[in-house]
Amino acid sequence: MPTSARRARERASTRERIIEAAVHILENEGVTALTIRRIATAVEYSAPVVYQHFANKDALVLELVAHGYRLMMAELQQAAEEADIDRRFLLLASESVRFAGEHPHLYEVMNDNTVDADERLRAAAPMIGLLRELLTTWSDAHDVILADFDEACDIVWGTLSGIASLGRIGTVGNERAQQLAQRAMHTLLRGWRADLPVNA
Amino acid sequence: MPTSARRARERASTRERIIEAAVHILENEGVTALTIRRIATAVEYSAPVVYQHFANKDALVLELVAHGYRLMMAELQQAAEEADIDRRFLLLASESVRFAGEHPHLYEVMNDNTVDADERLRAAAPMIGLLRELLTTWSDAHDVILADFDEACDIVWGTLSGIASLGRIGTVGNERAQQLAQRAMHTLLRGWRADLPVNA
DNA sequence: CGTAACCTTCTAACGTTGTTAGCATGGCTG
DNA sequence: CAGCCATGCTAACAACGTTAGAAGGTTACG
């Protein structure tokens, strides 16, 4: 009976369409427009149908967060191919800030506290992994031994988040925030290099 | 006619009481509990009375943001009296992160995007001023000439905000976030010192 | 082929939110 | 003392997230 398979496919399909519609609404109209009825209308259904695919709005928003991080990783792909590790570091810093500026509402939801901290951390895992890889290759390349690797990683992550938030809300212009991110990374890395125990 | 003066005093008084009640509710029960009716009940009034003192909820929340920054400055007062500029810098970094951890809901509202960017920036002005003063005395003390002072200031501000957010939501424990803030400042300052054009 | 089960989808509704309108009441002003 | 104005209330509206119950079409089985 192929029917049940088709049904499952349709179910997954509408689930996907709901997420896509939600992302579209969020990006174009902001978080206040992201309502269940609005989403349901966009996929030409009535509101309760959404609850057949997501337990509640938070679960749906969590999907948007995951989508956001996937999109972020995708947009960072090109920058990640830069060969020189120092340039790559700075480039990824400014590009991640650029992402926040180009997807302000999505980024807002990504850093919102309505979603569970653990879940959000899980969604951000690839990004944090990327940062870890950056830091290891950088420290290897410069023979820098970081006193506390995890600490350095969290500092980079926190710094980028903070500067990205600055650039998202309009506290400073986004292109300025991108420059800030590069400078901050530059200074941090220089600081860690100055920590070198022996050589000078 | 002293009556009008008394009336004005009463008006200002209930306005104050509303703000205090709102802060209390926000800090103890979180942002979801911060509703107009809940606030009105706390001051033993009905909901519409709140609108005689605030145009809408956003205006009230803006007052909470301002209150939050005043409270932050007050709690940072003691740390600001540390004589040694380097220790003062690190201390203020960790203490500002501690504030975010001890007033998570208040800090959340302070960095929320529902409030206008300009207004929030105005509320944060004293804090930014404090950072500027820190940076100037620090650079003077170490004969460091920052290539772009405003840039360095924004970097410090953004970095502290980001790490504070890390410590607020529970991504990392708050005492760890405080240490992160100190290390990040330490590294940033060391990086800027390494920028010294001539001496070594 | 027909009937029973089921899955899907809708309309209606509940409770809560921010916010406004309209009315009472009571103290100040002339 | 008469009138007015500020103050406070109740009631209501629209929109929100969410749930219940009914209706209709599709599938499976006798």
Side-chain angles (χ1 to χ4, degrees):
Chain A
M1 42 295 257
T3 76
S4 67
R6 193 200 61 200
R7 289 259 248 231
R9 221 167 21 213
E10 284 175 358
R11 264 192 66 84
S13 164
T14 64
R15 196 188 135 96
E16 273 293 318
R17 282 179 51 220
I18 290 175
I19 294 178
E20 280 173 28
V23 169
H24 189 258
I25 292 170
L26 174 59
E27 296 238 51
N28 291 347
E29 308 177 36
V31 70
T32 63
L34 192 71
T35 148
I36 298 288
R37 287 177 175 82
R38 181 84 183 68
I39 296 168
T41 305
V43 292
E44 293 177 302
Y45 277 119
S46 72
V49 173
V50 175
Y51 291 89
Q52 292 175 356
H53 300 272
F54 304 94
N56 46 35
K57 192 183 178 183
D58 286 352
L60 171 53
V61 170
L62 179 61
E63 291 299 304
L64 300 189
V65 172
H67 174 92
Y69 274 105
R70 280 194 297 270
L71 186 62
M72 191 177 187
M73 292 299 288
E75 293 198 9
L76 259 43
Q77 188 72 30
Q78 192 177 351
E81 289 167 3
E82 160 69 49
D84 181 76
I85 175 63
D86 290 270
R87 281 220 292 266
R88 187 160 83 236
F89 217 127
L90 298 191
L91 198 58
L92 281 167
S94 59
E95 285 299 298
S96 66
V97 171
R98 176 206 293 273
F99 176 86
E102 285 183 353
H103 308 272
H105 301 120
L106 186 55
Y107 192 84
E108 172 183 352
V109 167
M110 284 192 246
N111 288 58
D112 213 34
N113 19 346
T114 60
V115 302
D116 187 49
D118 292 347
E119 308 268 26
R120 187 180 47 239
L121 202 59
R122 199 134 47 84
M127 184 63 198
I128 294 178
L130 175 59
L131 289 184
R132 293 179 74 86
E133 180 234 290
L134 272 183
L135 258 183
T136 42
T137 43
W138 175 84
S139 58
D140 284 358
H142 294 289
D143 288 321
V144 170
I145 297 175
L146 293 167
D148 188 331
F149 180 81
D150 288 343
E151 186 177 87
C153 192
D154 284 345
I155 286 175
V156 169
W157 172 242
T159 301
L160 284 182
S161 298
I163 293 179
S165 289
L166 251 55
R168 175 178 57 89
I169 325 185
T171 309
V172 306
N174 184 263
E175 67 288 348
R176 174 129 205 279
Q178 292 177 40
Q179 173 147 341
L180 286 179
Q182 289 214 359
R183 298 284 197 177
M185 284 305 112
H186 178 79
T187 311
L188 277 177
L189 296 181
R190 179 169 289 211
W192 278 318
R193 272 212 274 191
D195 267 340
L196 277 177
V198 196
N199 93 5
Chain B
M1 40 293 256
T3 76
S4 66
R6 194 200 60 200
R7 288 259 248 233
R9 222 167 18 215
E10 284 175 357
R11 263 191 66 84
S13 164
T14 64
R15 196 189 134 97
E16 273 293 318
R17 283 179 50 220
I18 290 175
I19 295 178
E20 281 173 26
V23 169
H24 189 258
I25 292 170
L26 175 59
E27 296 238 51
N28 291 346
E29 308 177 36
V31 70
T32 64
L34 191 72
T35 149
I36 299 288
R37 287 177 176 83
R38 181 85 183 68
I39 296 168
T41 305
V43 291
E44 292 178 303
Y45 276 119
S46 72
V49 172
V50 175
Y51 292 89
Q52 292 176 357
H53 300 271
F54 303 94
N56 47 35
K57 192 183 180 184
D58 286 352
L60 171 53
V61 170
L62 179 62
E63 291 300 302
L64 301 189
V65 172
H67 174 92
Y69 274 105
R70 281 194 297 270
L71 185 62
M72 191 178 188
M73 292 299 288
E75 294 198 8
L76 291 181
Q77 189 72 31
Q78 192 178 351
E81 289 167 4
E82 160 69 49
D84 182 76
I85 175 62
D86 289 271
R87 281 221 291 265
R88 187 160 83 236
F89 218 126
L90 299 191
L91 199 58
L92 281 168
S94 60
E95 286 299 298
S96 66
V97 171
R98 176 206 293 272
F99 176 86
E102 285 183 354
H103 308 272
H105 300 121
L106 186 55
Y107 192 84
E108 173 183 351
V109 167
M110 282 193 247
N111 288 59
D112 213 35
N113 19 345
T114 61
V115 303
D116 187 50
D118 291 347
E119 308 269 27
R120 187 179 47 240
L121 202 59
R122 199 134 47 84
M127 183 63 197
I128 294 177
L130 175 59
L131 289 184
R132 293 179 74 87
E133 180 234 291
L134 272 182
L135 258 183
T136 41
T137 45
W138 175 85
S139 58
D140 284 358
H142 295 287
D143 287 321
V144 170
I145 297 176
L146 293 167
D148 189 332
F149 180 81
D150 287 343
E151 185 177 87
C153 192
D154 284 344
I155 287 174
V156 169
W157 172 243
T159 301
L160 284 182
S161 298
I163 293 179
S165 289
L166 251 55
R168 174 178 57 90
I169 324 185
T171 309
V172 306
N174 184 263
E175 68 287 347
R176 173 130 206 279
Q178 292 177 39
Q179 174 147 340
L180 286 179
Q182 288 214 0
R183 298 284 197 176
M185 284 305 112
H186 179 79
T187 310
L188 276 178
L189 296 181
R190 179 169 290 213
W192 279 317
R193 273 211 274 190
D195 268 340
L196 277 177
V198 197
N199 92 5

